[in-house]
Amino acid sequence: FLTGTINSLKILEGKLVVLILTNCRKVEGCLKDLSNFVLLEELDLDGTLVTGDIREIEKNEFLSIKNLEVGDGVYGGGCLKSMTDAPDVMLARYLLKMRFPDLFENRRWHLSYVSSDYYEVDCHQSRNPPFFVEFIRVSNRLGWRWTNGVRGGACEINWLDPKPLSSDKSYKYYMKSLETIQLEENGLYHGLFKPPTEHEYYERSAQIPFQNSRGNWRMDDNF
């Protein structure tokens, strides 16, 4: 594994395009040490000791960034420590994404396995607790949601962008797209904007039948 501080890379400031240091657990430094690398497009510091805060990235920094992965030492990176952290963390990522639209595409973040909110259940994968967060775009409107990554396993969308006006040309397309998503996600977590507690999970699972891949409804065998 590599060791040292990322500040030692300053000599490559005008040349470096990709920097992957995944799981280099002895690499230290501050995220801002790389902020003036104007050609840097891909940066992965997950699993390092690098610290920082994505909210402190200014408009004239990381000008070419398209893919950014940072670890638990950086606010806005790594796993979520609790469910209550999600709104602020996703807002921070959203504000950064507004400046760098390519960021966080097809990306999910997991609730930490050591979080007091985390629990495990023995069930079909579609009934797994929705412990991932992800961005979701409906037409031109962006939001985020909790999901288990399986169709029908998502909570409701927490919107970040305003709803388009009914007079907008894209409004009908937006409503049609939203309706499609709502039909697909009309499952165990319908009506919830965050994961249920463990007690709530078992209550809902006992009340809401399980739909198998053939579209047949039955009560979950585990309950």
Side-chain angles (χ1 to χ4, degrees):
F1 293 106
L2 295 176
T3 62
T5 174
I6 57 174
N7 192 49
S8 63
L9 297 173
K10 284 287 186 181
I11 192 172
L12 300 175
E13 188 171 281
K15 301 177 181 179
L16 200 61
V17 177
V18 176
L19 178 60
I20 308 294
L21 295 174
T22 313
N23 292 326
C24 292
R25 304 187 186 281
K26 294 185 178 181
V27 171
E28 303 175 320
C30 176
L31 179 62
K32 297 276 275 187
D33 292 338
L34 302 173
S35 62
N36 292 322
F37 282 54
V38 294
L39 299 181
L40 189 61
E41 296 181 0
E42 183 172 358
L43 176 61
D44 193 334
L45 300 173
D46 194 18
T48 69
L49 295 176
V50 174
T51 60
D53 189 331
I54 65 170
R55 296 172 297 184
E56 296 177 355
I57 296 177
E58 300 178 11
K59 292 182 179 180
N60 60 341
E61 298 176 333
F62 293 103
L63 294 178
S64 300
I65 201 71
K66 295 180 179 178
N67 185 27
L68 177 65
E69 296 289 341
V70 289
D72 293 335
V74 177
Y75 183 91
C79 295
L80 289 165
K81 296 177 176 61
S82 72
M83 291 184 195
T84 55
D85 287 345
D88 287 342
V89 171
M90 293 304 286
L91 177 60
R93 291 169 177 159
Y94 166 75
L95 294 175
L96 193 60
K97 186 174 176 59
M98 291 301 95
R99 290 160 49 195
F100 306 103
D102 291 330
L103 287 182
F104 312 134
E105 291 295 309
N106 302 313
R107 181 71 168 87
R108 292 184 179 129
W109 298 267
H110 198 278
L111 178 68
S112 173
Y113 295 110
V114 299
S115 169
S116 60
D117 296 324
Y118 183 81
Y119 55 88
E120 294 182 348
V121 294
D122 183 16
C123 63
H124 186 273
Q125 62 177 356
S126 66
R127 308 278 280 193
N128 283 337
F131 285 153
F132 292 94
V133 291
E134 65 181 3
F135 284 112
I136 180 167
R137 187 180 297 279
V138 182
S139 186
N140 294 322
R141 191 183 188 193
L142 193 66
W144 66 275
R145 66 183 181 182
W146 289 92
T147 180
N148 61 19
V150 179
R151 181 176 177 177
C155 294
E156 303 291 339
I157 300 172
N158 298 275
W159 292 110
L160 296 162
D161 289 335
K163 182 178 179 179
L165 299 175
S166 59
S167 58
D168 290 349
K169 292 182 179 179
S170 62
Y171 183 76
K172 288 185 178 180
Y173 176 74
Y174 162 77
M175 292 301 297
K176 184 177 180 179
S177 300
L178 181 60
E179 181 180 1
T180 299
I181 291 173
Q182 290 174 334
L183 287 173
E184 290 177 350
E185 299 301 339
N186 188 22
L188 183 60
Y189 308 111
H190 175 70
L192 298 180
F193 286 87
K194 63 179 181 179
T197 65
E198 187 171 8
H199 176 71
E200 291 169 340
Y201 173 87
Y202 283 104
E203 281 191 338
R204 292 179 73 88
S205 294
Q207 296 168 2
I208 300 175
F210 166 67
Q211 186 179 25
N212 62 27
S213 59
R214 295 180 180 178
N216 298 320
W217 291 90
R218 62 177 174 80
M219 298 307 292
D220 198 315
D221 293 338
N222 295 302
F223 306 98

